[in-house]
Amino acid sequence: MATEGPATRRVRVAEHPRLMKLKEMFNSKFGSIPKFYVRAPGRVNIIGEHIDYCGYSVLPMAVEQDMLIAVEPVETQTLQLANTNPLYPDFSTNANNIQIDKTKPLWHNYFLCGFKGIQEHFGLSNLTGMNCLVDGNIPPSSGLSSSSALVCCAGLVTVTVLGMNLSKVELAEICAKSERYIGTEGGGMDQSISFLAEEGTAKLIEFSPLRATDVKLPSGAVFVIANSCVEMNKAATSHFNIRVMECRLAAKLLAKYKGLQWDKILRLEEVQAKLGVSLEEMLGIVEDALHPSPYSPEEVCRCLGISLQELRTQVLSPNTQNVLIFKLYQRAKHVYSEAARVLQFKKICEEAPDNTVQLLGDLMNQSHVSCRDMYECSCPELDQLVDICRIQGLLWCSWSSWLTRYEPRSVVEPIPGTVRASTQIYTWTDAKIVCFHASRQTAGINITEK
């Protein structure tokens, strides 16, 4: 239940090779053994791309790949962080003087986000330190939410060390808010599914208030998650926040066009809610109110009746204040149409017609086209991968996942080799070879004691 705290499991570490290896590495690093272990899964978003921060429902599920942290509370105030991946250097700081540099999205800053979020939620000072060893098998910057899984894991580590109790919903909301310390203006989907996931079902995640509803996927289908191997660290560039700000500006222009108090509006969902109209009607309003050509900052200011200084300091995020063009029409069109596709997806799953898989496939195809053309959050390598997979018979493709009928040996297993062969035709380098990660729906965060 979402009102309960994360589950606690008692296991014998020696019976779990990954835990045993982590325990040995911990002992080698810190000269002691962990007191407990915490895990948080990554996620794949089935449908509902880039609409959570606009206030709309999304439909993700957790994956088996996760972040795992071995933890030992210590009597000093030193927070020591280490990673099993040698690419990520050790870090230590005073637990009562947490500083997060937004200009440098280093791995340990995501842990600090979760730690600081819990610290500030309870208004605590004079915190005890801890030794932590992080082990992750979620491919970084691949769209499976490795950074948010680390934030969630850190938040739960901190709550456990402090002996505090929070529900899954409370933890998800705190971690969603605290990840913004790193500078990204996310909406909360990643943290919510990490805490609220349950085995055997995807989840419709809704916001304000945060809640999760089971969505039973068709039993005759299996998900295959493919990685194009093109990395995008959303905290390292302004690309992610530019999309967030474009949606914010679109919401304000639409609100003003309809006579609403636009200066209080931040999200596109708020415009729809205040107008009391359908998503289809909102798409019509977008056609009337916004033009397809890009808006300059000066034009946005003229539309809203504000100065350029007010736009930069009161509306835009720090790393988007020097952006020269905003594509408001395209972003609003994607958000409202994608929000409608999420609801259609859930309805089809509930009604389960004979052609369920094909209908879901059609929605996923539409989602990818919108992400590519309207939201411009795809890339040539991913578009090429989508085309290859469709040629090989997969029924539909999304930003990072594919769906095919469940035929374990005759369909799923040959896919990686088939796609690799196809990539050679397109002269991809070995560095961009496609990696498939077969996944199933898994439970959310749990604490594993030694």
Side-chain angles (χ1 to χ4, degrees), residues 4-291:
E4 299 173 349
T8 300
R9 291 192 304 152
R10 294 185 180 274
V11 299
R12 294 182 181 274
V13 173
E15 297 175 357
H16 298 266
R18 188 179 173 200
L19 288 178
M20 193 65 201
K21 183 178 179 181
L22 190 60
K23 177 182 176 181
E24 292 170 354
M25 293 182 70
F26 189 99
N27 187 32
S28 177
K29 171 67 68 173
F30 298 112
S32 54
I33 61 173
K35 299 302 180 185
F36 63 91
Y37 306 80
V38 169
R39 71 171 294 272
R43 63 99 185 102
V44 61
N45 190 23
I46 301 172
I47 194 166
E49 293 293 349
H50 286 275
I51 63 173
D52 57 333
Y53 51 76
C54 295
Y56 283 109
S57 305
V58 291
L59 213 157
M61 66 180 183
V63 295
E64 291 179 321
Q65 288 73 25
D66 60 16
M67 287 290 173
L68 180 65
I69 302 181
V71 187
E72 177 195 24
V74 295
E75 294 182 358
T76 69
Q77 294 186 345
T78 301
L79 176 61
Q80 294 195 82
L81 306 177
N83 200 301
T84 59
N85 188 331
L87 294 177
Y88 303 130
D90 295 354
F91 175 83
S92 65
T93 188
N94 188 305
N96 296 290
N97 185 30
I98 300 299
Q99 303 293 325
I100 301 173
D101 187 351
K102 293 183 179 181
T103 67
K104 297 178 180 179
L106 301 174
W107 79 271
H108 62 259
N109 281 333
Y110 292 98
F111 185 102
L112 297 181
C113 284
F115 183 90
K116 185 176 181 179
I118 298 299
Q119 180 187 34
E120 293 193 346
H121 175 77
F122 287 109
L124 299 174
S125 59
N126 197 31
L127 272 71
T128 184
M130 62 182 89
N131 296 330
C132 297
L133 179 60
V134 177
D135 180 61
N137 57 16
I138 307 171
S141 303
S142 64
L144 296 181
S145 199
S146 59
S147 56
S148 295
L150 181 52
V151 173
C152 291
C153 222
L156 186 51
V157 164
T158 309
V159 166
T160 306
V161 168
L162 294 174
M164 302 292 188
N165 294 307
L166 289 171
S167 70
K168 295 177 184 179
V169 166
E170 289 171 322
L171 281 163
E173 291 177 332
I174 292 169
C175 290
K177 180 180 178 181
S178 66
E179 189 166 336
R180 295 171 192 157
Y181 295 141
I182 203 74
T184 54
E185 301 282 340
M189 170 183 67
D190 302 345
Q191 301 83 3
S192 298
I193 191 60
S194 194
F195 280 103
L196 300 176
E198 294 181 57
E199 189 169 358
T201 181
K203 291 285 187 177
L204 180 75
I205 304 292
E206 301 173 87
F207 304 95
S208 301
L210 176 61
R211 55 202 184 279
T213 304
D214 291 351
V215 177
K216 183 174 176 56
L217 300 170
S219 58
V222 63
F223 283 91
V224 180
I225 302 170
N227 182 1
S228 69
C229 298
V230 177
E231 295 187 358
M232 170 59 75
N233 185 327
K234 64 185 181 183
T237 71
S238 61
H239 299 312
F240 183 87
N241 279 359
I242 288 173
R243 297 296 185 276
V244 179
M245 294 303 111
E246 286 175 320
C247 291
R248 180 177 297 178
L249 292 175
K252 289 182 179 296
L253 264 65
L254 290 172
K256 184 165 186 181
Y257 176 79
K258 297 300 291 185
L260 302 176
Q261 191 175 357
W262 64 267
D263 57 318
K264 302 295 184 183
I265 297 289
L266 293 176
R267 302 180 301 177
L268 287 165
E269 185 276 336
E270 296 175 60
V271 181
Q272 183 198 0
K274 290 184 179 298
L275 293 177
V277 299
S278 67
L279 288 165
E280 290 72 19
E281 289 173 304
M282 283 307 307
L283 287 168
I285 294 172
V286 170
E287 293 289 345
D288 295 336
L290 303 176
H291 55 69

Side-chain angles (χ1 to χ4, degrees), residues 380-392:
E381 294 86 352
L382 179 56
D383 296 336
Q384 191 176 42
L385 178 56
V386 169
D387 292 340
I388 291 169
C389 288
R390 286 178 182 165
I391 290 171
Q392 299 303 328

Side-chain angles (χ1 to χ4, degrees), residues 326-338:
F326 300 101
K327 296 185 178 182
L328 308 188
Y329 169 88
Q330 291 84 352
R331 309 318 183 214
K333 287 277 286 187
H334 167 76
V335 169
Y336 288 127
S337 63
E338 185 78 349

Side-chain angles (χ1 to χ4, degrees), residues 428-446:
W428 281 15
T429 66
D430 290 340
K432 293 179 181 176
I433 200 75
V434 179
C435 305
F436 279 78
H437 305 279
S439 63
R440 60 185 174 85
Q441 302 149 70
T442 60
I445 289 184
N446 56 67

Side-chain angles (χ1 to χ4, degrees), residues 338-357:
E338 185 78 349
R341 283 188 286 271
V342 170
L343 299 181
Q344 292 166 17
F345 193 102
K346 178 176 181 287
K347 182 179 180 182
I348 291 169
C349 288
E350 291 172 342
E351 296 177 351
D354 292 340
N355 60 339
T356 291
V357 173

